Amino acid sequence: LEPKEEFEHSSLAVDVMRPRRSDPALAVLTQDGMTVGEVETLVESTHYSGFPVVVSQESQRLVGFVFRRDLLISIDNARKRQEGIVSTSQVFFSEHAPSQPPDAPPPLRLRGIMDLSPFTVTDHTPMDITVDIFRKLGLRQCLVTHNGRLLGIITKKDILKHMAQIANRDPDSILFN
Ligand code: ADP
C-alpha cells in the first residue's frame, strides 16, 4: 500500500475535469436529431477543440468524439457540394439515417469524421494514472464517465494547470517536456 500522505494529496479525474460545478454544461452533440444549423450554432458559440457525441441528452451515453475543425470543414463542404444540404438538414452520426418526414431536406451523414473510440477514464481514476495515460498515448484530451454516462472532459492543458497549481510552478516546465 501507498503511504497515507500519497492518498491525501492524490487527486482524481473528477477533480480536474471540466465543466466545474459553476461552469456551463458540457457542450455535446447528439448522434441524431440536430440540424446543420443547430450544430453550426453550437460550434460557433464556443471555442472548444472538440465535442463528445452522445446517444441523447437524457442518456449522455458516449458514442464518439468529433473535432471542431473537422465539423466545420465537413459542413462547409456539404453545403457547397452536396445536393440539398441546408440549415434544416438533419445531421446524423449514427449508422443509419433517422426516419424523417417525406418533405424533409436530405440528411447529412457525419459518422466518418467521428472518433468511435475516444479515450475515457472514470471519475474515480487517480490523476497519476490519467497523467501516465496522457503521456504514454500522447493524448490531447480524454473523456470522463461514470457508470457509462459522460460527465466531462480533461485536456492536456487542464492537467498542466492542475499540476501547476499543485507544484506552484510554471505549467510549461513540468510533465510533458
Ligand atoms: P485547451 O484545454 O487545450 O484550451 P479546449 O479549447 O478544447 O482545449 O478546451 C478549453 C477548456 O474547455 C478546457 O478546460 C476543457 O476541459 C474544456 N472543454 C473542452 N471541450 C469542451 C466541451 N465540449 N464542453 C465543455 N467544456 C469543454
Side-chain angles (χ1 to χ4, degrees):
L1 287 175
E2 303 279 341
K4 190 163 177 285
E5 297 76 41
E6 294 248 333
F7 280 107
E8 281 173 358
H9 293 293
S10 74
S11 35
L12 304 174
V14 72
D15 305 320
V16 180
M17 71 169 206
R18 301 299 193 272
R20 299 288 200 209
R21 227 178 270 276
S22 54
D23 291 343
L26 191 67
V28 298
L29 299 166
T30 52
Q31 68 173 354
D32 51 37
M34 290 178 83
T35 63
V36 165
E38 285 167 349
V39 172
E40 284 171 333
T41 303
L42 179 80
V43 173
E44 279 155 17
S45 66
T46 66
H47 55 267
Y48 307 130
S49 324
F51 302 87
V53 179
V54 294
V55 171
S56 64
Q57 289 288 351
E58 304 73 53
S59 76
Q60 291 291 310
R61 204 158 283 277
L62 184 64
V63 174
F65 189 82
V66 278
F67 285 104
R68 172 197 200 81
R69 182 188 59 233
D70 296 337
L71 266 175
L72 290 175
I73 293 172
S74 297
I75 291 178
D76 195 47
N77 277 339
R79 275 186 180 279
K80 284 185 191 140
R81 302 197 180 99
Q82 212 170 312
E83 191 66 36
I85 296 298
V86 289
S87 295
T88 53
S89 297
Q90 272 218 45
V91 169
F92 68 103
F93 295 92
S94 44
E95 202 119 26
H96 304 289
S99 55
Q100 297 199 104
D103 56 347
L108 175 58
R109 187 175 202 266
L110 290 184
R111 190 174 181 82
I113 59 165
M114 178 171 64
D115 176 358
L116 288 162
S117 21
F119 215 90
T120 63
V121 295
T122 71
D123 51 346
H124 286 119
T125 307
M127 276 313 291
D128 55 350
I129 293 178
T130 307
V131 169
D132 232 38
I133 296 170
F134 266 77
R135 292 162 102 171
K136 290 194 173 133
L137 301 183
L139 300 184
R140 301 210 58 97
Q141 70 280 311
C142 173
L143 300 171
V144 182
T145 59
H146 177 82
N147 282 345
R149 267 177 85 87
L150 178 64
L151 281 191
I153 184 167
I154 297 176
T155 67
K156 186 169 146 181
K157 253 191 219 167
D158 291 331
I159 294 184
L160 289 170
K161 280 184 208 153
H162 177 74
M163 300 309 287
Q165 267 170 12
I166 289 176
N168 200 15
R169 278 163 53 187
D170 175 4
D172 291 333
S173 71
I174 48 172
L175 261 184
F176 289 103
N177 289 341

